[in-house]
Amino acid sequence: MSAFLWITVVSLAAWCWLLLGQGFFWRTDVRLPGRRDLDAWPSVCVVVPARDEAAVLPVGLPSLLTQDYPGRAEVFLVDDGSTDGTGDLARELSRRHGGLPLTVGSPGEPPAGWTGKLWAVRYGIGLARARDPEYLLLTDADIAHAPDSLRELVAAADTGGFDVVSQMARLRVASLWERLVVPAFVYFFAQLYPFRWIGRPGSRTAAAAGGCVLLRADMAEKARIPEAIRHAVIDDVALARAVKRSGGRVWLGLADRVDSVRPYPRLRDLWRMVSRSAYAQLRHSPALLLGTVAGLALVYLVPPAAVAVGAAGGTGAVALVGAAAWAVMAGTYVPMLRYYRQPPWLAPLLPFTAFLYLLMTVDSAVQHYRGRGAAWKGRTYARPDAVADEG
């Protein structure tokens, strides 16, 4: 057997293992767990960090103010140094829509060692604690919630005994690049953090989706959220890990009616979204970077390359094994495309998208070593690892 045939066989074996041994990450049926209506609904404070969010606030904020929640609930929007009138717009939307009480506050510039988003979250949680809530809903300004979203989240947490219930909001898919990149973003995330493993008792796998995180207030204090994760680049994953380290239970799944309205129309926009935290995911390790590049090439690029090489060189075995690996890959991607209401013929293009992610990851490392620092909503930090996920 040729060396390239052996490599292709290893790629096919990797896909067989991913298909069956990685928590069935490719399935999209992990939705809110079983829940029941409660006899007494606990109090909830909603914390919304917002920096220059006037473009998306008219959709996101009214969906929170008009929540159909039977218990006591209040919204705290943290205007983190906006220059586009975010705070004034929030007050106007509250006057126009009514609903839940709204408090708008501003934390001032973060001290050294605090990321922009987490500093805003800390300020919002501080305001909320004066109300002594039982739950905190941490959500972003670009997230549109269905009217019963808060009710369903609280019911799921209470019924299942979870300290964190988080939903991966359905991201916007409208432009060509969004169609190619966004479903793959969630697919790759689920591959790294299989949702079934996260909710399993005793499992060490921990992750959350920062756009929609319901957190028990007493667990927030016990796990020292957000102080314990103030340096985190990927703050939602860090939050889930902190909760699990403190003995809490975490659940994460795909959302049905929680949507992000933030547009990423151009490849440049999506590139920034991914490259901002890709190298931090690898703990700024050159060894992990090399391993990731090699792994992405082996798993995603070898199958189509084998088909092309085998067909061109008349090596049927190479082409056949490559086609089998490519077929398994595409088959695992189809459920995510369906979740995003995209045609299944996009599935064979996953190697191209994976190649883009490989380049984004390398670019993330390049930016790190150039010392350009990191940024959140236009605020730049001297430390490359002191940036929160923009969400």
Side-chain angles (χ1 to χ4, degrees):
M1 293 178 68
S2 68
F4 192 63
L5 178 56
W6 274 114
I7 294 172
T8 309
V9 168
V10 172
S11 180
L12 175 59
W15 273 111
C16 291
W17 180 81
L18 287 170
L19 177 68
L20 301 173
Q22 188 65 5
F24 295 99
F25 76 94
W26 46 271
R27 295 180 58 173
T28 56
D29 57 347
V30 181
R31 310 296 173 89
L32 275 178
R35 52 208 178 275
R36 53 173 173 76
D37 277 341
L38 308 181
D39 296 330
W41 289 86
S43 58
V44 182
C45 284
V46 182
V47 176
V48 185
R51 180 175 171 85
D52 292 332
E53 296 285 23
V56 296
L57 206 61
V59 178
L61 185 57
S63 76
L64 293 170
L65 297 173
T66 57
Q67 282 294 301
D68 178 20
Y69 185 67
R72 179 168 60 88
E74 187 171 351
V75 179
F76 294 86
L77 185 134
V78 183
D79 180 11
D80 189 11
S82 299
T83 59
D84 65 351
T86 289
D88 291 336
L89 177 58
R91 296 182 185 95
E92 172 59 28
L93 290 169
S94 179
R95 288 191 292 268
R96 188 186 312 167
H97 293 276
L100 301 182
L102 173 70
T103 299
V104 178
S106 181
E109 288 295 308
W114 277 89
T115 65
K117 182 176 177 179
L118 286 175
W119 176 246
V121 168
R122 178 187 183 276
Y123 182 82
I125 290 178
L127 293 176
R129 280 177 177 152
R131 308 294 196 270
D132 194 26
E134 296 177 62
Y135 285 95
L136 298 163
L137 174 62
L138 311 180
T139 187
D140 290 336
D142 67 305
I143 302 297
H145 292 257
D148 61 351
S149 176
L150 185 55
R151 176 200 290 258
E152 294 291 286
L153 287 165
V154 171
D158 192 89
T159 302
F162 294 105
D163 298 283
V164 169
V165 170
S166 179
Q167 288 187 291
M168 178 75 72
R170 199 189 305 258
L171 305 177
R172 196 189 89 137
V173 174
S175 71
L176 171 64
W177 287 112
E178 286 171 335
R179 292 171 185 270
L180 284 173
V181 175
V182 167
F185 177 82
V186 182
Y187 173 89
F188 293 143
F189 185 92
Q191 191 176 90
L192 286 172
Y193 306 102
F195 295 162
R196 281 177 171 77
W197 290 358
I198 292 170
R200 182 186 303 167
S203 170
R204 297 180 60 183
T205 305
C212 179
V213 178
L214 184 76
L215 171 65
R216 290 185 188 269
D218 56 357
M219 178 53 69
E221 292 195 37
K222 182 178 180 181
R224 297 179 52 248
I225 303 295
E227 286 82 1
I229 60 171
R230 63 186 181 275
H231 297 309
V233 175
I234 309 172
D235 51 273
D236 41 16
V237 174
L239 182 150
R241 287 174 176 166
V243 168
K244 280 208 169 184
R245 283 197 302 266
S246 299
R249 293 186 60 199
V250 177
W251 183 93
L252 172 63
L254 295 173
D256 287 312
R257 292 188 297 155
V258 177
D259 302 297
S260 171
V261 299
R262 190 182 304 282
Y264 294 98
R266 300 164 299 182
L267 178 60
R268 181 175 61 184
D269 304 316
L270 291 159
W271 194 288
R272 282 200 300 262
M273 179 188 75
V274 175
S275 64
R276 184 176 54 244
S277 59
Y279 196 41
Q281 178 69 53
L282 302 177
R283 300 195 292 275
H284 301 126
S285 166
L288 286 178
L289 175 65
L290 290 174
T292 298
V293 170
L296 284 171
L298 173 68
V299 174
Y300 290 98
L301 304 185
V302 165
V307 172
V309 170
T315 311
V318 172
L320 183 63
V321 176
W326 199 355
V328 176
M329 179 200 315
T332 64
Y333 191 39
V334 168
M336 188 61 70
L337 288 172
R338 287 177 176 164
Y339 172 75
Y340 272 97
R341 306 181 184 97
Q342 299 303 304
W345 58 261
L346 288 173
L349 299 180
L350 185 57
F352 171 73
T353 305
F355 180 63
L356 289 178
Y357 274 87
L358 186 154
L359 295 178
M360 294 174 193
T361 302
V362 172
D363 181 59
S364 180
V366 170
Q367 298 305 318
H368 173 82
Y369 290 113
R370 283 182 176 176
R372 293 185 178 179
W376 181 74
K377 296 286 187 180
R379 180 185 284 146
T380 302
Y381 301 89
R383 289 182 49 165
D385 59 336
V387 57
D389 178 19
E390 178 176 329

